[in-house]
Amino acid sequence: MLEANQIVADVLFSLERVIDAGITTHELDHIAEDLCVKHKAIPAFKGYRGFPACLCVSINEEVVHGIPSRKRKLNNGDIVSLDFGVSYQGFFGDSALTVPVGIIDSGTRKLLDITEKSLDLAIEQVQVGNRIADISKIVQKTVEENGFSVVRQFVGHGIGRSLHEGPEIPNFVQRGSSPRIVEGMVLAIEPMVNTGTYDIQLLKDGWTVVTADKKKSAHFEHCVAVTANGPTVLSVRKKSISPVKN
Ligand code: MG
Ligand code: MG
């Protein structure tokens, strides 16, 4: 699981460093696919329920599952969510982050910071004996007390020999009982956070999810192993040299 997730982390680190105005989302997908070949890993999303690319690239109001395109270029002031997964020697890795393109406005900066912070705080809740709802609760609280909203229709998940396994990990508190967190689980925790309403729409391409009010959305995801000593983030990235240019 660590090796699979470290390949994902390496790909995302490499992509983060080339994010710039003018690059097409297809070029990003191409880089991700090349790196998979180098690492002898299988891109997990390509062909998954018919998804046509290796990488999900979602810009601005796009929440998740954006399809790379030769026609779509990044612009200064955009934010771009990169979601990537592989299988490697029978195990899956899955991680995502949202990256600014050039200079972004302060409200958008806050959206990225709070989304990442909600993930960091959620990871601290990955303790044997806690419940999945402890993750949901801290994400929702962190996001909502900063004036943003969490997407309801998509959730995090367990991961292992399949990309998506139980338990589901909602980013908001649901009624009813919630599974215990057990040693040996690996959890893909992935807050999807909207500036405005949490309502979403599906575009006609059948994949791209956008916010209903067309305001921006951010997405961060890590795979976290549950150990007796607490959480271990398997998809941790090298620290990037700041991608922000001026
Ligand atoms: Mg993902
Ligand atoms: Mg995932």
Side-chain angles (χ1 to χ4, degrees):
M1 294 297 295
L2 178 62
E3 288 176 27
N5 277 287
Q6 277 300 296
I7 293 168
V8 172
D10 181 67
V11 170
L12 290 176
F13 178 78
S14 301
L15 291 172
E16 188 182 0
R17 289 192 304 168
V18 301
I19 291 293
D20 204 356
I23 196 166
T24 68
T25 56
H26 168 77
E27 286 173 272
L28 299 173
D29 184 62
H30 188 72
I31 290 167
E33 187 154 29
D34 274 354
L35 287 170
C36 274
V37 172
K38 187 186 121 190
H39 286 293
K40 298 184 167 52
I42 301 164
F45 301 167
K46 196 166 194 176
Y48 184 87
R49 298 184 183 172
F51 189 75
C54 297
L55 182 71
C56 293
V57 188
S58 308
I59 301 170
N60 295 335
E61 77 279 7
E62 297 170 357
V63 179
V64 286
H65 305 161
I67 300 171
S69 163
R70 292 172 195 275
K71 293 178 195 154
R72 189 81 191 266
K73 286 182 176 169
L74 301 183
N75 293 309
N76 266 315
D78 285 346
I79 54 171
V80 56
S81 297
L82 307 169
D83 189 358
F84 187 64
V86 300
S87 81
Y88 180 71
Q89 297 186 0
F91 290 95
F92 282 81
D94 187 10
S95 183
L97 80 165
T98 302
V99 184
V101 183
I103 297 172
I104 56 172
D105 63 77
S106 60
T108 306
R109 180 77 257 170
K110 185 181 172 193
L111 174 71
L112 302 193
D113 290 346
I114 294 301
T115 307
E116 190 166 25
K117 183 182 175 191
S118 75
L119 175 57
D120 290 342
L121 293 173
I123 289 167
E124 291 177 11
Q125 294 299 317
V126 177
Q127 306 286 346
V128 173
N130 275 5
R131 293 185 184 274
I132 295 297
D134 293 312
I135 295 171
S136 311
K137 191 173 169 184
I138 193 69
V139 171
Q140 183 172 24
K141 177 175 181 288
T142 306
V143 167
E144 291 183 353
E145 73 189 10
N146 282 282
F148 300 126
S149 67
V150 290
V151 170
R152 269 39 173 187
Q153 285 93 334
F154 296 92
V155 295
H157 50 95
I159 182 169
R161 290 187 181 275
S162 301
L163 179 60
H164 296 122
E165 299 182 354
E168 288 195 347
I169 308 174
N171 296 302
F172 60 100
V173 177
Q174 288 180 307
R175 282 160 52 152
S177 68
S178 171
R180 289 266 184 212
I181 294 172
V182 176
E183 188 177 354
M185 283 178 160
V186 179
L187 305 176
I189 305 173
E190 48 180 317
M192 287 150 265
V193 175
N194 294 352
T195 306
T197 177
Y198 60 70
D199 285 331
I200 52 151
Q201 291 170 347
L202 183 65
L203 295 188
K204 284 189 195 127
D205 64 19
W207 280 104
T208 311
V209 174
V210 298
T211 56
D213 59 10
K214 304 298 185 284
K215 293 182 179 173
K216 289 186 173 99
S217 185
H219 181 205
F220 285 82
E221 177 180 24
H222 271 308
C223 282
V224 184
V226 183
T227 81
N229 300 318
T232 300
V233 181
L234 303 180
S235 50
V236 67
R237 289 181 297 280
K238 287 178 268 190
K239 279 281 175 254
S240 185
I241 309 148
S242 173
V244 178
K245 299 150 203 89
N246 47 37

